[in-house]
């Protein structure tokens, strides 16, 4: 490096000697340093200016070109410098050193620059500050090695500004409307510039396709679309820009106070005629063009404020030590037990604490020993107590009932589980109510305190079996008591009637129950449903020709018979032969029966009085059971043939002992007892 610098100086010296040109000075600064908050620090440790054809200059410029914090950072000239005055521009972050009269010597400027100090009013500044020291007024940015200059010219249009910038030079560097490709350039050319104005972007060629039309970036697209568009590289439009209101095709750095400092808006080529959107000038950028000379008219130095960039807390369960981590952007991490003051207990990125019994905070910074800061970074060693648990032994419960389990812990919360290995809690809290249990069951609980878990503890609920009962349906015959039985021995009993015996006698229909309690104190209830079965009674027996119906007097589950042997559910029967019969009715649950005699009257359709012993006589069968009944028989002419009574109840087919011929005869039978009159005819067949 020194060889290159010596060669450059020799080249400049002989060039000025041969061609008689004024050679630009070469500036060099050293002093990349660490800054302690609330102190003042010289921006360089050594400064040199070499100029083969001049011994002095009228002014020098020192700017915080990167990392500048407006309102906090300040550059100050200290000491006595009779030939030099200093002025601070807070907007630009620039300190100007001017000759009081004439051109102070480079030696005087070197002494002044070495006496310039940086300070910050912030109690906890951060980051890095880059200082550019240059012989010209243009702002110098070390990251691009370019120079930026705002040229005031109210109302200038974009095309005129573009031409004016291209006609500008700076120590032989070709000028152009600025092309801004990074936030560093936004800061130096916009935020820290003395004014705002045109830059080299336009979409005049294709609407919505924004390109740089100047400088080394000529033709590079930096934005596609309008407000909702996107950048293929870098753009810094203000909020709701570009909006293309009124054919706005040219990029402009917004005026101070309009939106984000240093951001852009689109304007027409002329802009507004007044106000914030009237162009106030343009920004010229120097550097990067073909044929530009190699200059060293600027130099830089850097100060860095050591800063903690990351921390890692640590946690453990129970007493012990933990390892805490911290990293810094520069320097060594120092560990303290207090937020301010004191001496480090350790230095390094990884700190293992002593044995701790409680949560403890440590504090870190990366400042050199002797620097102080009111805002060290806290790193916490968290000690979570291991829970200690206990529980209340549950009492024995009866089958199909629930119980509430109770446990406690010295720290954290209690979770309940259904197994020793399950991961999903049944419930959380100091109590847990089980579902109804049918068998002896074991549950488990553990305490959780900030990821510290106690041992999982079993709690067993003993379950006693309740008496096994089965409900019954009981039938009671009318006027008869029935004994019902609880069915379980060696227990206590409580009936719904109030009785406490194992059995009771019931007489009436209804619902009865008994609660049976065994020797374990477990109870079950047995239910009885009692139904009353009535004794059957016959109201009457209806006889209609050969159809017989037994009519009960009451309602019940009855069956019927006319022979007393075979019973049917239907009360209706068919009897074709007249005579005396008995009707039977019985209750199907053996709750008694009743019977009743009845007479069936029938009239034979013919008879054959031929003395063969078969159908030799005709009579109304069954009338013999009605003493008052009479039957008169007529021939077809209406002549009375005979009258039948109880004492003479058959006819042999004669009239005055003479056999009558085969033909049809008519009859009328009257039964006073039943108020019946039966009429009809029959045939005599010989």
């Amino acid at each position: 490096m020194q060889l290159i610098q010596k060669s450059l100086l020799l080249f400049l010296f002989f060039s000025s000697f041969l061609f008689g040109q004024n050679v630009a000075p070469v500036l060099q600064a050293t002093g990349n340093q660490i800054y302690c908050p609330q102190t003042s620090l010289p921006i360089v440790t050594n400064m040199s200016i070499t100029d083969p054809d001049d011994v002095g200059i009228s002014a020098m410029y020192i700017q915080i070109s990167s990392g500048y914090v407006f309102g906090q950072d300040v550059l100050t000239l200290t000491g006595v410098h009779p030939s030099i005055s200093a002025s601070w521009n807070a907007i630009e972050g620039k300190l100007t050193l001017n000759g009081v009269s004439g051109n102070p010597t480079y030696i005087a400027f070197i002494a002044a620059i070495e006496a310039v100090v940086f300070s910050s009013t912030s109690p906890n500044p951060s980051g890095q500050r880059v200082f550019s020291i240059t012989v010209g007024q243009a702002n110098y940015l070390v990251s691009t090695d370019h120079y930026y200059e705002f040229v005031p010219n109210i109302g200038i249009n974009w095309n005129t500004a573009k031409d004016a910038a291209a006609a500008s030079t700076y120590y032989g560097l070709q000028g152009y409307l600025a092309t801004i490709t990074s936030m560093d350039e936004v800061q130096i050319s916009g935020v820290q510039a003395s004014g705002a104005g045109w830059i080299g972007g336009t979409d005049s060629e294709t609407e919505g396709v924004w390109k740089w039309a100047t400088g080394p970036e000529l033709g590079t697209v930096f934005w596609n679309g309008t407000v909702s568009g996107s950048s293929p590289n870098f753009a810094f439009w203000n909020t709701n820009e570009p909006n293309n209101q009124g054919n706005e095709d040219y990029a402009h750095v917004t005026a101070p106070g309009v939106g984000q400092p240093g951001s852009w808006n689109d304007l027409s080529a002329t802009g507004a005629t007044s106000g914030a959107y009237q162009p106030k000038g343009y920004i010229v950028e120097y550097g990067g063009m073909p044929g530009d000379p190699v200059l060293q008219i600027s130099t830089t130095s850097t100060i860095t404020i050591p800063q903690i960039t990351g921390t890692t807390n640590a946690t453990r369960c129970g007493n012990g030590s933990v390892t805490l981590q911290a990293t810094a952007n520069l320097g060594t991490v120092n560990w303290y037990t207090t937020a301010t003051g004191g001496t480090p207990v350790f230095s390094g990125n990884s700190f293992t604490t002593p044995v701790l019994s409680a949560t403890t905070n440590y504090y870190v910074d990366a400042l050199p020993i002797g620097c102080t800061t009111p805002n060290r970074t806290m790193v916490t060693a968290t000690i979570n107590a291991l829970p200690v648990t206990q529980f209340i032994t549950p009492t024995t419960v009866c089958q199909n009932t629930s119980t509430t389990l109770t446990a406690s812990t010295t720290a954290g919360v209690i979770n309940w589980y259904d197994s020793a290995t399950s991961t999903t809690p049944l419930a959380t809290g100091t109590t847990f109510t089980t579902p109804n249990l049918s068998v002896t069951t074991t549950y488990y609980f553990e305490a959780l305190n900030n990821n510290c878990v106690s041992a999982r503890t079993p709690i067993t609920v003993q379950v006693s079996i309740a008496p096994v009962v089965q409900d019954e349906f009981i039938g009671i015959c009318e006027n008869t008591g029935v004994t019902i039985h609880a069915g379980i021995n060696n227990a206590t009993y409580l009936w719904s009637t109030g009785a406490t015996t194992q059995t009771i006698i019931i007489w009436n229909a209804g619902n009865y129950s008994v609660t049976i309690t065994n020797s374990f104190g477990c109870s079950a209830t047995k239910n009885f449903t009692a139904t009353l079965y009535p004794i059957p009674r016959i109201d009457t027996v209806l006889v209609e020709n050969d159809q017989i119906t037994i009519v009960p007097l009451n309602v019940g589950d009855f069956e019927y018979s006319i022979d007393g042997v075979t019973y049917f559910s239907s009360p209706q029967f068919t009897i074709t032969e007249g005579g005396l019969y008995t009707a039977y009715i019985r209750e199907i649950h053996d709750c008694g029966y009743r019977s009743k005699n009845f007479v069936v009257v029938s009239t034979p359709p013919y008879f054959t009085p031929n003395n063969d012993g078969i159908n030799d006589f005709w009579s109304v069968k069954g009338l013999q059971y009605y003493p008052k009944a009479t039957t008169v028989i007529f021939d077809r002419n209406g002549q009375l043939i005979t009258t039948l009574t109880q004492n003479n109840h058959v006819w042999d087919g004669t009239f005055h002992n003479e056999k009558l011929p085969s033909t049809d005869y008519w009859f009328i039978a009257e039964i006073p007892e039943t108020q019946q009159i039966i009429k009809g005819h029959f045939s005599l067949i010989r």
Side-chain angles (χ1 to χ4, degrees), residues 61-79:
Y61 303 90
I62 305 171
Q63 185 175 33
I64 307 174
S65 59
S66 181
Y68 175 58
V69 179
F70 175 78
Q72 295 181 2
D73 295 350
V74 177
L75 295 178
T76 306
L77 177 60
T78 64

Side-chain angles (χ1 to χ4, degrees), residues 72-90:
Q72 295 181 2
D73 295 350
V74 177
L75 295 178
T76 306
L77 177 60
T78 64
V80 178
H81 306 276
S83 61
I84 296 174
S85 65
S87 61
W88 169 247
N89 185 326

Side-chain angles (χ1 to χ4, degrees), residues 612-649:
D612 63 356
I614 301 173
N615 293 328
D616 288 332
F617 301 97
W618 186 92
S619 67
V620 179
K621 298 185 183 222
L623 283 188
Q624 65 268 35
Y625 300 106
Y626 297 108
K628 297 179 181 180
T630 61
T631 303
V632 293
I633 300 174
F634 304 90
D635 63 13
R636 68 175 54 252
N637 297 316
Q639 181 179 351
L640 176 64
I641 302 300
T642 188
T643 298
L644 303 179
T645 64
Q646 187 178 33
N647 295 324
N648 177 32
H649 62 279

Side-chain angles (χ1 to χ4, degrees), residues 205-219:
E205 181 180 309
T206 302
E207 185 64 42
V209 180
W210 286 85
K211 299 179 179 180
W212 294 116
T214 60
E217 286 77 26
L218 177 66

Side-chain angles (χ1 to χ4, degrees), residues 316-322 353-360 362 381-386:
R316 69 165 291 132
C317 296
N319 298 347
S321 62
V322 298
T353 70
V355 173
L356 302 175
S357 60
T359 296
T360 303
Y362 291 89
T382 300
I383 307 299
N384 293 319
L386 278 171

Side-chain angles (χ1 to χ4, degrees), residues 109-268:
F109 274 115
I110 289 172
I113 294 168
E114 290 178 348
V116 172
V117 297
F118 166 81
S119 63
S120 172
T121 58
S122 170
N124 189 44
S126 62
Q128 190 179 66
R129 306 293 187 271
V130 177
F131 307 102
S132 62
I133 306 166
T134 183
V135 295
Q137 294 190 30
N139 294 342
Y140 175 69
L141 182 61
V142 66
S143 62
T144 61
D145 196 28
H146 290 191
Y147 297 84
Y148 305 84
E149 178 183 20
F150 172 72
V151 180
N153 192 330
I154 294 178
I156 188 173
N157 68 48
W158 185 85
N159 289 293
T160 302
K162 176 175 177 287
D163 293 340
S168 301
T169 60
Y170 185 75
Y171 287 92
L173 300 175
Q174 175 64 50
Y176 51 90
L177 276 185
T179 57
I180 302 173
T181 60
S182 68
M183 283 306 298
D184 272 355
E185 287 192 280
V186 168
Q187 181 74 18
I188 202 71
S189 66
V191 179
Q192 288 181 244
S194 59
W198 295 116
I199 56 177
T202 178
D203 70 343
S204 59
E205 181 180 309
T206 302
E207 185 64 42
V209 180
W210 286 85
K211 299 179 179 180
W212 294 116
T214 60
E217 286 77 26
L218 177 66
T220 301
V221 175
F222 64 88
W223 186 259
N224 291 299
T226 54
V227 175
S228 58
S230 62
S231 172
N233 37 70
F234 178 82
F236 192 59
W237 294 105
N238 197 7
T239 305
N240 297 322
E241 300 284 356
N243 55 29
N244 196 35
Q245 293 185 1
N247 194 28
E248 296 178 329
D249 294 335
Y250 300 94
H252 181 268
V253 175
T254 56
V258 178
Q260 303 178 73
S263 62
W264 314 335
N265 64 289
D266 57 337
L267 292 176
S268 65

